[in-house]
Amino acid sequence: MATQNPFDFSALFAGFDPQAIAKQFQEGLSGVSIPGIDSNSLIQAQRKNMELLMSTNQAMLAGSQALIQRQASMLQESIAEVTAAATKLAESGNPQDVSARQLELLQSGFQKALANSNEISNMIRETQESVAGQVNNRISESLQELKETISKVK
C-alpha cells in the first residue's frame, strides 16, 4: 500500500492559478475606465505579481522539503553513529579505554552537531536569498512599469 509523503505540500497549491486570478482581475477592470491609464498594463503587472507569488511559494516549499529531508537524514545518521558507539563502548572492558572513547565520541559529536547546524543555516539562507532576490527584482520591475504607466497619463 502506497503512502502519501507527509511533507509534500504541493497539493495546497494545486488549485492556485495565477492566470485565473489575472483573468478575474481583467474581468473586474473590464467595465472600469480610468482616463489616461492603460488597464492592460495593470492587468499584465498583476499577472506578473501572481506568477511571482506562485514561484516564490514553490521555491520556499522546495527549500522546506529539502530542509526536512536533510534533517531526517541527519537524524538517521546520528542514530546509526550512537548505536555503533554504544556497541564499541560495551566491548571495551578497561575503564580508561571507555573514558578515552567517551571523550572522543563527545568531541566528534560536538563537531558533527556544529557542522550540521552550519549546513542547515546555509540551506535556509540560500532559500531566503533566492526568494528575496526574486521579490526585489519584481518590485523594481513593478515600479518601472508604474512609472511608465503614469508617464503616459496626459
Side-chain angles (χ1 to χ4, degrees):
M1 182 173 139
T3 59
Q4 184 180 4
N5 181 351
F7 302 114
D8 183 10
F9 301 106
S10 59
L12 293 174
F13 298 106
F16 181 76
D17 182 7
Q19 301 300 329
I21 293 171
K23 184 177 179 184
Q24 287 175 342
F25 186 72
Q26 183 177 13
E27 290 169 356
L29 285 179
S30 65
V32 176
S33 177
I34 304 170
I37 301 290
D38 179 16
S39 62
N40 284 331
S41 63
L42 292 175
I43 292 166
Q44 289 302 320
Q46 189 63 23
R47 179 175 286 132
K48 290 177 185 176
N49 291 340
M50 289 298 108
E51 289 170 356
L52 172 70
L53 179 63
M54 186 64 178
S55 70
T56 54
N57 282 335
Q58 288 172 342
M60 291 298 290
L61 175 63
S64 296
Q65 287 176 330
L67 181 65
I68 290 168
Q69 289 170 351
R70 184 60 187 122
Q71 286 176 323
S73 172
M74 288 176 178
L75 179 61
Q76 289 173 342
E77 291 169 9
S78 294
I79 290 171
E81 290 171 4
V82 166
T83 302
T87 302
K88 285 185 179 181
L89 285 175
E91 293 171 355
S92 202
N94 182 343
Q96 289 177 332
D97 290 344
V98 171
S99 294
R101 182 69 184 141
Q102 284 176 339
L103 278 173
E104 289 173 18
L105 291 172
L106 183 61
Q107 182 178 12
S108 139
F110 177 74
Q111 290 172 348
K112 181 80 172 184
L114 187 59
N116 288 346
S117 176
N118 287 335
E119 182 180 347
I120 294 297
S121 295
N122 288 335
M123 290 176 75
I124 292 168
R125 181 186 44 76
E126 289 170 6
T127 300
Q128 289 174 338
E129 286 176 355
S130 171
V131 169
Q134 291 178 34
V135 171
N136 288 337
N137 288 340
R138 180 61 198 132
I139 289 171
S140 294
E141 290 173 5
S142 186
L143 290 174
Q144 184 62 36
E145 292 165 358
L146 181 60
K147 182 179 176 182
E148 290 170 7
T149 301
I150 290 174
S151 70
K152 294 177 185 176
V153 175
K154 296 180 183 178

